[in-house]
Amino acid sequence: MENKYYETTLINGIRLIHKEKKGEIAHLVLMVETGTRDEQALENGLAHFVEHTIFKGTQNRKAYHILSCLDNVGGDLNAFTTKEETCIQATFLKQHYKRSLDLFADIAFHSTFPENELAKEKEVILDEINSYLDSPSDEIYDLFEEMVFKGHPLSRNILGTTDLVKGFKRQDILDFMSHNYSTDQMILASIGDISFKEFEHLAMTYFGSQLAHLINKKREKFKGYTPENRILKRNNHLSHCIIGGMAPEFSSVLRMPVVMLNNVLGGPAMSSRLGLNIREKYGFAYTIESQYTAYSDVGLINVYMAVDPDSLEKAIGLVYKELDKLCQQKLGTMQLQHAKQQLIGQVALSYESGMNELLSVTRSRIMNEPIEYMDDIIRKVEAVTADDILEVANRVFDKEKLSQIVFEGDD
């Protein structure tokens, strides 16, 4: 197959994925199956704190040298933490593969977490927490997940709390990594203009000598969802609302129909039903969208909107009306075809960014799902029927199983 992804595993358990692609630009990802849900209650925010502090010094480099290593040759280095993964990513000119892999290995396995740097980074993260609290659109998402996943590790905020972050010590980082960062739960993935053999050789050079660190880590599965409604007062000009509930997990055969359902309802297209029938028709909401998040053992689907307080009740009623339509009326032939073409186009445009494609592929493999090429995705999309979408709509938008949280703004 042209532009095929090749895979192998190093003796220490680190998995390698590579696709050869002609061009000057290369992309590199190191993803670890460790995130917020792997923290203990008093560790909340520690996975994210690790992601920040691995750049603050290694046995071979000071923080400045880490940050300038790719910067100085026009490359881009970044990282992020989710509920289930931690990821380092870089984009660079193809001649800098050695430099990039050397840097990644140094960051991942030789970070020293100097105390003076930890103190400075705490201030950065505390500012990040306060920034989120100043943004009701961010805060309400966190509170919604806290509400629906109540008592479960998935309920925890990725950033943690001010008090917990202030208390983190260097030893906390070392203990957390020792208990959660397993070499067989790491994937090193790449897209670029070198052969798989050459990529494997470079990966062996920089990652092969790392000793295997294997952990039998078991995540607590989520169960026991109970719908809940909450109304909270906020000193905002707008009211904010999320309505949603449980949805299929990442590996479910129903994931593609739910992706399409979400796209039709309130996905990125301006012609989504929520966009046309609430924002455009009535002008109630500047922002209205739906989102589907698939975790390894459960999924979450929700509608979010920010509206004038005077219009909140009407807007909520209109959202439920749209959900009812999707539960009661099958998409017509033309509507279904339009939905399929729209989703295929969106995925194709997303894959134009090699990094988006690489992150998608790496996450699939972290979940132990097969790599999906564009042809595979098109086949899956084309296989979805109107009955499939109606079925999942009734499953995820059952009124008795939906939760709702409202930030009431000032009238």
Side-chain angles (χ1 to χ4, degrees):
M1 179 189 294
E2 187 180 0
N3 287 337
K4 179 182 176 181
Y5 280 96
Y6 291 91
E7 300 183 64
T8 192
T9 304
L10 299 179
I11 196 168
N12 54 22
I14 298 172
R15 287 178 282 170
L16 307 181
I17 302 174
H18 176 69
K19 183 173 88 169
E20 184 176 352
K21 183 178 181 182
K22 299 298 180 186
E24 295 301 313
I25 304 300
H27 306 282
L28 186 67
V29 160
L30 178 63
M31 190 175 287
V32 188
E33 193 180 359
T34 296
T36 309
R37 73 176 298 175
D38 300 302
E39 300 163 345
Q40 300 301 312
L42 293 178
E43 294 176 331
N44 186 204
L46 198 46
H48 177 255
F49 191 56
V50 170
E51 175 236 307
H52 270 245
T53 53
I54 55 174
F55 296 98
K56 297 306 172 182
T58 69
Q59 294 167 12
N60 307 301
R61 293 174 170 90
K62 292 185 177 180
Y64 168 78
H65 298 115
I66 291 170
L67 298 176
S68 61
C69 182
L70 292 180
D71 220 32
N72 286 349
V73 292
D76 178 62
L77 176 67
N78 213 333
F80 63 85
T81 307
T82 71
K83 297 276 174 102
E84 298 196 310
E85 300 98 21
T86 305
C87 182
I88 307 169
Q89 63 186 73
T91 298
F92 47 89
L93 293 174
K94 65 180 180 182
Q95 59 263 39
H96 300 306
Y97 257 107
K98 288 183 181 179
R99 176 186 288 249
S100 303
L101 285 161
D102 180 31
L103 178 65
F104 270 42
D106 199 24
I107 292 169
F109 299 112
H110 304 295
S111 287
T112 54
F113 308 104
E115 291 285 3
N116 63 320
E117 293 289 347
L118 298 188
K120 287 189 286 187
E121 205 57 30
K122 284 181 185 181
E123 294 303 317
V124 172
I125 292 173
L126 294 176
D127 284 346
E128 191 176 354
I129 291 172
N130 289 329
S131 173
Y132 266 69
L133 294 175
D134 281 344
S135 170
S137 59
D138 291 323
E139 184 192 6
I140 197 169
Y141 271 106
D142 286 335
L143 287 181
F144 185 75
E145 290 207 341
E146 183 182 299
M147 183 174 75
V148 299
F149 293 127
K150 187 187 303 179
H152 187 273
L154 280 172
S155 70
R156 294 180 191 137
N157 185 312
I158 291 171
L159 300 181
T161 68
T162 298
D163 289 342
L164 287 175
V165 170
K166 283 180 179 178
F168 289 153
K169 302 286 192 295
R170 182 175 183 272
Q171 192 59 47
D172 297 327
I173 293 174
L174 299 177
D175 290 344
F176 181 75
M177 294 185 76
S178 176
H179 296 150
N180 290 284
Y181 282 63
S182 179
T183 48
D184 65 346
Q185 293 174 346
M186 295 181 178
I187 294 180
L188 183 66
S190 162
I191 293 178
D193 196 2
I194 61 172
S195 68
F196 177 63
K197 186 176 180 181
E198 188 176 354
F199 176 70
E200 184 180 8
H201 172 73
L202 289 171
M204 279 287 295
T205 301
Y206 295 106
F207 285 81
S209 61
Q210 178 62 36
L211 294 176
H213 181 60
L214 308 179
I215 304 165
N216 185 23
K217 182 171 68 178
K218 290 187 178 178
R219 286 174 166 167
E220 178 189 344
K221 291 197 172 185
F222 176 74
K223 55 187 177 183
Y225 165 69
T226 303
E228 188 175 338
N229 289 337
R230 268 190 216 171
I231 299 175
L232 303 170
K233 285 284 187 183
R234 287 292 187 272
N235 186 26
N236 301 317
H237 290 297
L238 295 177
S239 291
H240 299 259
C241 176
I242 291 185
I243 300 164
M246 297 298 101
E249 71 278 8
F250 189 88
S251 61
S252 172
V253 294
L254 298 176
R255 180 164 64 99
M256 186 58 78
V258 178
V259 168
M260 192 175 297
L261 171 69
N262 177 69
N263 215 44
V264 169
L265 175 63
M270 294 180 71
S271 60
S272 71
R273 291 193 177 188
L274 293 177
L276 287 178
N277 295 333
I278 298 177
R279 187 186 192 279
E280 296 300 323
K281 188 172 181 179
Y282 294 96
F284 281 160
Y286 173 70
T287 301
I288 185 161
E289 61 192 14
S290 63
Q291 181 174 298
Y292 168 44
T293 305
Y295 296 113
S296 56
D297 57 338
V298 69
L300 190 64
I301 191 165
N302 56 64
V303 173
Y304 161 76
M305 59 184 166
V307 301
D308 184 277
D310 292 336
S311 305
L312 177 64
E313 194 174 331
K314 290 178 184 175
I316 289 174
L318 288 169
V319 168
Y320 278 103
K321 187 177 177 183
E322 291 303 322
L323 301 185
D324 283 343
K325 280 185 195 174
L326 286 166
C327 292
Q328 294 167 10
Q329 301 172 15
K330 281 199 296 188
L331 295 185
T333 304
M334 291 299 293
Q335 290 175 319
L336 180 63
Q337 192 56 32
H338 172 74
K340 290 179 178 182
Q341 289 174 347
Q342 188 180 67
L343 182 56
I344 289 167
Q346 289 169 356
V347 174
L349 287 174
S350 172
Y351 270 36
E352 274 298 296
S353 162
M355 181 55 78
N356 286 345
E357 177 185 347
L358 191 60
L359 289 170
S360 177
V361 164
T362 308
R363 185 159 191 257
S364 289
R365 296 305 292 129
I366 280 280
M367 298 280 193
N368 291 314
E369 291 296 305
I371 290 173
E372 289 183 337
Y373 294 90
M374 195 63 211
D375 286 348
D376 299 323
I377 294 170
I378 290 171
R379 277 195 294 273
K380 282 192 174 184
V381 171
E382 292 291 3
V384 174
T385 66
D387 285 324
D388 293 333
I389 294 175
L390 187 68
E391 179 188 337
V392 294
N394 279 276
R395 174 171 167 167
V396 302
F397 293 142
D398 180 345
K399 275 187 180 178
E400 300 300 314
K401 297 178 182 177
L402 291 176
S403 291
Q404 181 175 304
I405 188 166
V406 172
F407 286 178
E408 282 191 342
D410 294 330
D411 290 316

